[in-house]
Every structure is written in C-alpha cells, then in structure tokens.
Amino acid sequence: MIDRRTLLLMSMALLPASAAAASRRRSPSPQTFDYGPALLDVYTRDGASSLPVVLFIHGGAWRAGNRTNVNVKPAFLLDNGFCFVSIDYRMLPKADVATQADDVEQAYRYVRANMARYGGDPNRIAVMGHSAGCHLAALTGLRGGLPGVAALVLNDTRAYDLEALARSGGMTPAYARAFPDPAQWRALSPATHVGSRKHPPTFVAYSRAQGREQDSRAFAERLRATGTEVTLFDGSAYSHMSINRDFGEEGDALTAAVMIFLKATIV
C-alpha cells in the first residue's frame, strides 16, 4: 500500500514545480462531441500522436456534476504526455444508475473508436472516476463493459458492495436515493463482478470520509485474490472533496501515486 508520507517524499521528483505552474497558467480548451446520450470533452495538444488517454467520470451522488468539473486535471495530464477526456452522463432522477453505467460504456466505445484522430492511443486508455464516477468506473470496468481498458483509477466511494454497505448501516440518504431497489444491489455492485478472473490493473484510493478505508480495503483484497494488480492508496489526509480537487496540484501525494501507477501500466 502507498501512504501519503511516502508519496510526499517522492512528489518533488515526479511532479516538478514547472509542470504544476504550467497547469495553472494554461487552461486548455476542449473539443466537445456528442457520443449519443450526452456530451464529452477531449483535451489534447496540437501534434499529439499515440499518447495514453485518461477518461474521467465525474462525481456528484449520481444526480449532479458535469464534465467540466475537472479542476487542473486536463492541463496537468497534457503537460505530462497524456490526452484527457471528461464525459457527461445522464443524471438521477431522469436516468437510473443502470442507465448511467450504460452511458459510460457508450462514451468509452466512442472514445476508443475515435481517439486516434485526436492524438490518443485507443489501446492505452485508463478510466478514472471520483465518488459516483468511481462507482461507475468500477462497475463498468469489472463487468466487462470497457473492452480493452488498460487500467482503472478508482477514487473514493463506498458503493463497491451495496449489500455489505446496507448491512453495515452505511446506506446513507445519498446512496439510498441512488439505489432504492435492493433487488438491483447485486447487479449494481462492482464487487459482484470481480469473480475469479484477472482484471485490468486497478488503483484504489480512499479519503478519511466515514467508512471509505474499510470498504476500499475489502474491495482491494477481493480484487487481489483474482491475481489482479492492485495499488491501494491511503488518502486519509484528504477529505472526500479534496482527494479529487487536488489532483494535479504541485506536491500532491495522490497525483504522484497515480502517475507511478500509470507509468507502470499504460505509459
């Protein structure tokens, strides 16, 4: 497991101040595309070719947020040799979580089919999500809905195993609104789809928010039992919001850990 103290010692070498400062100075403008049910933004540099891609799924309790909630992620990742994609998906209450997962899979298929023309490598896509987006990334990635995905970066959710969450008393109002039907809990739980097969390399991060460490550790161990390469990040120094917001900022420990992971898996 990677803890914050270890990463702070490494971050100066991996995240030079010039890159972080450049991220704040140059906020890139995306190209926006309609992938079917919603829109997505593609961020890339002129002349990019065959670069690894990070596809980001925003959070917001499955009912809020949008593809522009990216902070400095696009500029930081472009400065470090990636293309970046951020997607919208339809929100509760108009679309249920099952429909949202289908939207994510459709967005991924669009990106994989079209990313080469914008400088990305369709065979080197990492899917990253925070909060509700973390759940959707895990669910779609583990159930086979992201064919060819190179890696998953899962950032801070408790919605890995909904039945276990309910048993532990963790079905808060936000979760209860997103998952009102217990008959659907197994199908919508990423843990259900772990099975016995090996999955793409997976990075699991948790904040100090209630229950995150326990649920993330249990999920990571379940994945490891299949032979899947898992990196577990102790983000207990972060709040649920800052663990997402601070990605790409100078000296950020989570950013350093994710970059180590990505360099080992898709770069």
Side-chain angles (χ1 to χ4, degrees):
M1 186 181 74
I2 300 178
D3 61 29
R4 182 175 173 83
R5 181 166 55 185
T6 300
L7 266 299
L8 283 172
L9 296 175
M10 303 173 67
S11 61
M12 289 299 293
L14 289 169
L15 304 176
S18 59
S23 293
R24 287 190 291 272
R25 286 195 304 268
R26 299 194 308 273
S27 179
S29 297
Q31 300 178 69
T32 301
F33 301 95
D34 186 339
Y35 71 86
L39 302 177
L40 58 79
D41 286 345
V42 173
Y43 297 81
T44 187
R45 298 280 192 223
D46 291 341
S49 178
S50 299
L51 296 179
V53 180
V54 173
L55 187 157
F56 180 70
I57 310 169
H58 69 81
W62 300 271
R63 63 176 53 244
N66 61 69
R67 69 187 188 280
T68 68
N69 301 150
V70 292
N71 306 105
V72 300
K73 293 178 186 69
F76 172 81
L77 287 165
L78 266 60
D79 286 346
N80 282 275
F82 291 79
C83 297
F84 182 79
V85 179
S86 182
I87 70 168
D88 279 337
Y89 50 95
R90 289 172 287 180
M91 297 279 98
L92 293 173
K94 292 184 177 180
D96 62 13
V97 175
T99 299
Q100 293 175 352
D102 291 342
D103 288 356
V104 168
E105 292 175 357
Q106 189 167 338
Y108 173 83
R109 289 193 298 270
Y110 180 95
V111 171
R112 194 151 194 249
N114 293 281
M115 200 64 211
R117 72 183 70 178
Y118 305 109
D121 184 343
N123 295 311
R124 292 193 292 161
I125 300 175
V127 173
M128 172 191 291
H130 171 250
S131 194
C134 172
H135 164 263
L136 291 169
L139 175 62
T140 56
L142 298 181
R143 76 181 187 182
L146 309 177
V149 68
L152 300 173
V153 180
L154 308 179
N155 190 4
D156 208 34
T157 188
R158 295 194 71 184
Y160 291 120
D161 185 336
L162 297 171
E163 292 181 333
L165 185 65
R167 288 194 300 269
S168 70
M171 192 61 74
T172 62
Y175 287 117
R177 286 192 294 268
F179 307 103
D181 184 359
Q184 295 184 338
W185 286 353
R186 285 187 57 78
L188 295 177
S189 294
T192 299
H193 304 282
V194 171
S196 59
R197 66 186 178 92
K198 189 175 181 180
H199 295 278
T202 302
F203 184 103
V204 180
Y206 60 85
S207 73
R208 62 174 176 267
Q210 184 176 6
R212 295 305 201 278
E213 178 176 358
Q214 176 183 348
D215 295 340
S216 297
R217 285 179 178 273
F219 180 70
E221 288 307 311
R222 192 165 184 166
L223 267 179
R224 283 196 181 113
T226 69
T228 299
E229 177 188 337
V230 179
T231 299
L232 181 64
F233 178 81
D234 176 359
S236 54
Y238 295 89
S239 70
H240 177 61
M241 300 306 292
S242 69
I243 201 170
N244 174 59
R245 182 187 63 236
D246 292 353
F247 185 91
E249 295 288 355
E250 182 178 349
D252 179 59
L254 174 66
T255 306
V258 171
M259 293 302 287
I260 291 170
F261 172 78
L262 293 177
K263 288 177 186 294
T265 54
I266 70 169
V267 175

